[in-house]
C-alpha cells in the first residue's frame, strides 16, 4: 500500500546504440600507406554487421501525484507534504468532510503527448486511491478524487476532455459566477462560467469523481 502522498512516474525503455568504429564514422580512413582509402571501399571488402545495442535506458515521460487533502474548491493543496494527522485536525476544525484524494501535477513530456500516458497515470492513481479508501479508518475518507484543471476552453481543452472522458464532473462554484473572468465568455458559455473557481487568481475548473 503506497503512502500519502504517492508519486506515480511513467518511464519508457530505449535501446542505446553504441557508436560504430571510427572508420565508419568518418568519411574516409587511412591505410598504412600515406594513400587515403575511401571508407566505402574498405567496408565493401568485409561483412557489414548491425551496430551492437547497449544496455536499455529508462527515460521519464510523465508523472503525477496523488495525496489526501481537505476538500476546498478555491484552494490548492500545499506544495509540501503535510502530516496526515494535521490534515485530519484541520478538517475537524473547519467543519470540512473527511480527507479525499487529490490529483496534482499531471505532467507529460511535450514530445510524448498524445500517446495516452496521462490516462495511464490517472487510472493508476485511481487504483491507489481505492486502496486508501479500503484501508481508511475514518468514515467516508477517500471516497472521491478531486482535481483542478485549466478553465480556458482553448488551452485547457485537452485536459478537460481527458477528465470528462474518464468520468470526472466539473462542479459549480458555490459562490456563483465570478465577473473577474467574464472575458472567458468569448470562448466558453454561461454554464462554463458558473463552474469557474478563482484559485489564487487563476481561473480553474474543479473536478470530482466518485470511486
Amino acid at each position: 500500500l503506497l503512502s500519502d502522498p504517492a508519486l506515480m512516474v511513467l518511464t519508457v525503455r530505449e535501446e542505446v546504440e553504441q557508436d560504430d568504429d571510427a572508420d565508419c564514422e568518418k568519411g574516409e580512413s587511412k591505410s598504412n600507406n600515406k594513400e587515403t582509402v575511401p571508407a566505402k571501399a574498405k567496408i565493401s571488402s568485409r561483412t557489414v554487421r548491425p551496430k551492437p545495442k547497449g544496455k536499455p535506458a529508462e527515460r521519464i515521460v510523465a508523472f503525477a501525484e496523488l495525496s489526501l487533502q481537505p476538500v476546498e474548491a478555491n484552494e490548492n493543496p500545499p506544495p509540501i507534504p503535510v502530516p496526515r494527522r494535521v490534515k485530519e485536525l484541520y478538517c475537524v476544525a473547519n467543519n470540512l468532510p473527511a480527507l479525499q484524494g487529490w490529483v496534482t501535477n499531471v505532467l507529460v513530456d511535450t514530445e510524448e503527448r498524445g500517446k495516452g500516458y496521462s490516462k495511464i497515470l490517472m487510472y493508476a492513481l485511481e487504483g491507489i486511491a481505492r486502496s486508501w479508501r479500503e484501508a481508511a479508518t475514518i468514515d467516508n475518507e477517500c471516497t472521491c478524487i478531486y482535481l483542478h484543471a485549466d478553465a480556458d476552453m482553448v488551452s485547457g481543452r485537452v485536459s478537460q476532455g481527458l477528465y470528462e472522458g474518464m468520468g470526472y464532473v466539473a462542479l459549480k462554484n458555490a459562490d456563483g459566477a465570478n465577473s473577474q473572468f467574464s472575458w472567458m465568455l468569448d470562448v466558453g458559455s454561461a454554464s462554463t462560467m458558473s463552474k469557474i473557481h478563482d484559485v489564487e487568481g487563476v481561473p480553474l475548473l474543479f473536478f470530482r469523481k466518485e470511486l
Side-chain angles (χ1 to χ4, degrees):
L1 180 65
L2 293 177
S3 60
D4 166 35
L7 179 64
M8 185 63 62
V9 179
L10 187 62
T11 63
V12 296
R13 301 188 71 184
E14 297 178 330
E15 297 290 343
V16 180
E17 292 188 349
Q18 297 178 353
D19 292 337
D20 206 346
D21 55 45
D23 291 339
C24 296
E25 292 255 344
K26 298 178 181 180
E28 57 182 24
S29 61
K30 293 185 178 180
S31 65
N32 292 332
N33 301 326
K34 292 184 178 180
E35 178 183 3
T36 300
V37 180
K40 182 177 180 181
K42 183 178 180 181
I43 293 175
S44 64
S45 65
R46 66 181 181 180
T47 303
V48 179
R49 296 182 176 84
K51 291 183 179 182
K53 292 183 177 180
K55 184 179 179 180
E58 291 190 349
R59 181 169 61 87
I60 296 176
V61 296
F63 66 84
E65 185 177 354
L66 173 71
S67 60
L68 290 172
Q69 300 292 343
V71 179
E72 295 183 296
N74 296 324
E75 298 289 340
N76 276 321
I80 58 175
V82 175
R84 182 167 176 171
R85 183 55 179 163
V86 173
K87 293 185 288 188
E88 291 173 346
L89 291 174
Y90 179 86
C91 290
V92 174
N94 292 275
N95 197 29
L96 295 173
L99 296 175
Q100 301 297 321
W102 270 81
V103 173
T104 55
N105 300 323
V106 181
L107 300 174
V108 180
D109 190 316
T110 54
E111 297 181 358
E112 302 293 340
R113 292 175 181 173
K115 298 181 180 180
Y117 291 149
S118 295
K119 185 174 290 187
I120 293 173
L121 287 173
M122 290 299 298
Y123 279 131
L125 294 180
E126 288 179 6
I128 295 172
R130 288 188 177 92
S131 69
W132 289 352
R133 179 193 61 190
E134 294 172 1
T137 57
I138 297 177
D139 291 341
N140 299 319
E141 185 174 82
C142 202
T143 57
C144 298
I145 287 183
Y146 292 85
L147 58 88
H148 284 132
D150 185 356
D152 193 289
M153 299 303 292
V154 178
S155 60
R157 178 178 56 85
V158 174
S159 60
Q160 292 174 29
L162 167 69
Y163 302 133
E164 291 171 352
M166 295 183 66
Y168 288 80
V169 177
L171 304 179
K172 288 187 176 181
N173 190 336
D175 298 329
N178 192 329
S179 60
Q180 176 184 356
F181 305 118
S182 59
W183 58 269
M184 298 191 73
L185 283 174
D186 295 336
V187 292
S189 63
S191 60
T192 301
M193 281 292 300
S194 66
K195 299 175 183 178
I196 294 177
H197 292 74
D198 181 359
V199 183
E200 299 177 3
V202 179
L204 298 176
L205 296 179
F206 185 49
F207 282 95
R208 179 183 66 193
K209 180 177 180 178
E210 296 184 4
L211 297 175

